[in-house]
Amino acid sequence: MQIPQIRLQTNPMKIGLNIDQPVQQIEQKAAVQSIQQPQAILEIQTTPGKLTIDQSQAREDMDLKSLSKRVDEFAQQGYQDWLAGMARRAQQGTELRHIEKGGNALAEQARQNSKGPEKQFNLGWIPSPFSVKLGYQPAEVKIEATSQKPIIDAQINRVNHTYTQGSVYVEILQKNALDIDFINLYADEIRKVKT
């Protein structure tokens, strides 16, 4: 027995794509930068230290006195000796004036006038301790610093950007098709199938 058949054979459509890739270029130039740093303003004021050494007392202790000091001492000593001599002569004159009261005033005055002052001797340090006077005024330093701000100049370069758009081309490589075959069908039956 022959069974009527309808055979369908399809061929799918084949599509081809031609793609041009997009092209993008980005170029960024480095920024131009200039930095200047002015030096700080520095002011230094120095007052030098001062050392004073006074050794006049030590020199006087060793009998190395200055000429003006010696003249002053001799003048003072002469004045004191003159006053003492006047007082002694006045006293001795008064004693001689009253000789009638008794006593041996003339011999006593001769003994006093011929006798010098007793010499004094004692241990001592030459020069005496702390006879050299030291004075020191320390140095002073004043520092003033004024900072300077940096000078910065920056120029930014723009980005160079180029873009080429891509494209897609579609083409049909194979058209779709449908083939229908009728097997074991007669023309009337085929007509019914078609309607």
Side-chain angles (χ1 to χ4, degrees):
M1 174 173 157
Q2 293 183 353
I3 298 173
Q5 296 178 4
I6 298 175
R7 291 186 184 170
L8 302 174
Q9 184 177 1
T10 60
N11 288 326
M13 179 184 289
K14 291 185 181 178
I15 298 174
L17 299 177
N18 292 326
I19 300 173
D20 291 335
Q21 295 292 334
V23 178
Q24 177 173 256
Q25 291 180 337
I26 299 174
E27 184 182 356
Q28 174 66 63
K29 292 184 179 178
V32 179
Q33 191 173 34
S34 169
I35 300 176
Q36 295 178 356
Q37 177 63 65
Q39 291 183 349
I41 299 170
L42 186 64
E43 294 180 8
I44 300 176
Q45 294 180 349
T46 304
T47 303
K50 187 175 182 181
L51 176 66
T52 56
I53 300 174
D54 182 7
Q55 57 184 2
S56 58
Q57 179 66 39
R59 291 180 63 83
E60 288 175 11
D61 290 348
M62 295 188 307
D63 202 28
L64 297 173
K65 300 175 183 174
S66 66
L67 182 60
S68 61
K69 182 77 174 176
R70 283 214 188 267
V71 168
D72 289 343
E73 284 183 357
F74 287 155
Q76 186 68 24
Q77 186 65 41
Y79 182 68
Q80 294 296 328
D81 289 348
W82 176 69
L83 289 178
M86 281 179 45
R88 182 177 51 83
R89 284 184 181 84
Q91 181 186 357
Q92 288 177 355
T94 304
E95 288 175 0
L96 289 176
R97 222 176 17 175
H98 299 292
I99 200 168
E100 71 278 357
K101 292 183 180 177
N104 196 358
L106 203 53
E108 185 62 30
Q109 286 180 6
R111 185 180 63 76
Q112 286 176 359
N113 290 341
S114 63
K115 183 181 173 184
E118 289 185 17
K119 299 291 183 185
Q120 299 290 327
F121 178 76
N122 198 355
L123 291 176
W125 301 98
I126 299 176
S128 60
F130 306 109
S131 60
V132 177
K133 308 288 190 296
L134 297 176
Y136 179 67
Q137 181 179 356
E140 292 182 6
V141 178
K142 293 180 182 177
I143 300 175
E144 273 189 38
T146 306
S147 61
Q148 300 291 322
K149 291 185 177 180
I151 301 168
I152 300 173
D153 182 23
Q155 295 178 356
I156 300 171
N157 291 318
R158 291 189 175 187
V159 178
N160 290 332
H161 180 233
T162 57
Y163 178 73
T164 304
Q165 193 172 10
S167 59
V168 177
Y169 299 102
V170 180
E171 62 177 337
I172 298 174
L173 299 176
Q174 177 182 326
K175 292 185 177 182
N176 57 346
L178 176 62
D179 291 333
I180 302 173
D181 286 334
F182 300 98
I183 298 173
N184 298 324
L185 285 180
Y186 300 106
D188 294 337
E189 294 172 347
I190 294 172
R191 206 176 300 123
K192 288 179 183 176
V193 170
K194 289 185 178 180
T195 57

